[in-house]
Amino acid sequence: MTSHRDDIRDAVKQILAGSEPTIGAPIAHWDAQSWTNLTESGFADLGIAEESGGSGGDVTDAVDVAATIAASGVCLPIIEHGLACWVVSTTGLAKPTGTGTIGEDSSGIVAEESSGTVLLSGRISAVPWASIAQWLAVFDGHSVAVVDLAADGLVVHPGTDILGAPLCDVVMTGVVARSHAPTTVSASQVRSRGAALYSAAMAGSARAVVDATIRHTSDRTQFGRPLAKFQAVQQRLAQLASTVAQMERAVDEAAEALATDSTRAAVALASAKVVVSGAAADVAAAGHHLHGAIGFTREHPLGRYTGSLQSWRNRWGSADDWARVLASQILDDGPDLWDLITGGSDVASSDATSSDATSSDATIGARP
């Protein structure tokens, strides 16, 4: 990791330390003061070009912010807000003020244009943070519409995920879009960026599970010695730590490839999502196991991290979804399997001529 990335993570930690985040899960309320501190300092808009109203930087900066927030256990709309702002920035429209959000699937929305006004009708299911955000980015694969979440004809049906964070259905009936414009990014690119950010967040939560478990097994004694001195516990701890190290390495590889527009980005991103989402349930189970099955209650902080892992592992594609993407790169595009595993030179040349999903993924790190 470069010193620049260390600086980003240290700065976010200092900002979060300035408020008192909630603990445990499900959450009683979200951490509004931490969000205010982050937005005022510009860290909520990292990864968005300055000329588009963001704070500059690239996708690597956004990944580091998401991972640090997740590892701190603070519950914030950082990923959806960042994605929504980034999608809007690709249209040339000005970044809306306030907190934004975006749904994974807007295919249920129908847009009608009349006298220069775009009217939206339909339903978007499972939109994170829609009950606290001020605006919604509706992306149909070709264009982006910005909608006020308090607009006439728009109803937010509140709900929550496992963690207790807002996860709402949004229903629109002839809602007037605040702005509307074509975009330069594909659905595959948006999905890839969302997968990268959630992979980073899950790796951050997994690291917090390891740290909390090491503290617990070192402090808790049984038969006159710490739990961590028992061989069976040491073996389980080693398995947990090695799994999380693999998750972090996969995310770092993907983030660095995305930021440099590397032709390996598609392979690295798909691999990271497969590794991270595939290991999330095991990491959560190991954490509770080594805590002696505590951590399920609201007052214990472990539930915040394990709840995040369970809630986020299918966001922007499950491990199986991304495994199929990875397999298609081998079966359809012909790169050598050994080169995919080892990072050989043939991977770069084959990725450069890959399918739509693959080639568009490889440019996701480009600034709009």
Side-chain angles (χ1 to χ4, degrees):
M1 183 185 299
T2 66
S3 59
H4 170 73
R5 296 184 64 184
D6 287 335
D7 291 343
I8 293 285
R9 295 192 178 212
D10 289 343
V12 173
K13 290 177 184 175
Q14 292 177 7
I15 292 170
L16 297 178
S19 59
E20 296 183 0
T22 58
I23 62 172
I27 63 172
H29 57 82
W30 73 293
D31 298 298
Q33 185 57 54
S34 295
W35 183 240
T36 299
N37 295 343
L38 275 175
T39 53
E40 290 180 347
S41 60
F43 282 87
D45 296 321
L46 271 178
I48 314 298
E50 293 184 46
E51 57 268 28
S52 299
S55 300
D58 56 33
V59 68
T60 307
D61 299 320
V63 160
D64 287 334
V65 171
T68 306
I69 290 173
S72 300
V74 184
C75 194
L76 301 174
I78 184 68
I79 293 179
E80 279 70 28
H81 174 78
L83 276 174
C85 290
W86 175 71
V87 167
V88 171
S89 73
T90 65
T91 66
L93 296 171
K95 184 176 79 68
T97 57
T99 301
T101 188
I102 186 171
E104 288 188 42
D105 184 6
S106 299
S107 59
I109 297 296
V110 175
E112 296 180 353
E113 188 166 355
S114 175
S115 303
T117 300
V118 174
L119 303 177
L120 303 175
S121 298
R123 184 186 192 96
I124 308 178
S125 301
V127 181
W129 300 98
S131 58
I132 64 99
Q134 284 80 52
W135 57 274
L136 171 70
V138 181
F139 172 71
D140 65 0
H142 306 284
S143 61
V144 178
V146 176
V147 176
D148 290 323
L149 283 165
D152 292 338
L154 189 149
V155 179
V156 176
H157 296 278
T160 63
D161 59 14
I162 295 173
L163 187 62
L167 190 65
C168 315
D169 291 345
V170 177
V171 177
M172 289 180 264
T173 306
V175 175
V176 179
R178 182 199 299 182
S179 56
H180 180 268
T183 176
T184 57
V185 294
S186 67
S188 175
Q189 287 176 290
V190 177
R191 184 169 181 260
S192 296
R193 191 163 177 126
L197 291 171
Y198 266 107
S199 294
M202 285 190 286
S205 292
R207 172 52 57 189
V209 171
V210 172
D211 293 343
T213 304
I214 290 175
R215 286 194 300 272
H216 176 79
T217 54
S218 299
D219 295 341
R220 184 93 175 213
T221 59
Q222 192 70 282
F223 303 112
R225 56 178 176 166
L227 292 174
K229 294 296 184 182
F230 289 89
Q231 189 174 29
V233 173
Q234 291 173 344
Q235 181 184 27
R236 191 81 161 113
L237 273 175
Q239 291 171 337
L240 173 62
S242 61
T243 298
V244 174
Q246 182 186 24
M247 295 166 74
E248 293 173 327
R249 185 67 193 98
V251 170
D252 281 345
E253 176 73 16
E256 292 167 5
L258 290 170
T260 58
D261 265 356
S262 166
T263 52
R264 289 184 45 77
V267 172
L269 173 62
S271 300
K273 194 63 166 70
V274 170
V275 168
V276 174
S277 288
D282 289 341
V283 170
H288 286 294
H289 183 194
L290 290 168
H291 274 75
I294 65 175
F296 288 98
T297 52
R298 171 171 287 178
E299 66 273 16
H300 198 285
L302 182 65
R304 177 67 61 92
Y305 306 116
T306 56
S308 297
L309 289 169
Q310 298 284 15
S311 180
W312 297 342
R313 59 180 176 160
N314 291 333
R315 297 273 173 94
W316 298 95
S318 66
D320 287 347
D321 294 334
W322 284 98
R324 283 190 284 272
V325 172
L326 191 58
S328 72
Q329 294 167 12
I330 300 171
L331 299 175
D332 298 340
D333 304 312
D336 185 83
L337 179 59
W338 182 247
D339 287 326
L340 277 175
I341 296 172
T342 62
S345 58
D346 288 347
V347 174
S349 59
S350 58
D351 278 351
T353 58
S354 60
S355 63
D356 175 66
T358 306
S359 59
S360 58
D361 286 353
T363 61
I364 194 71
R367 298 181 184 187

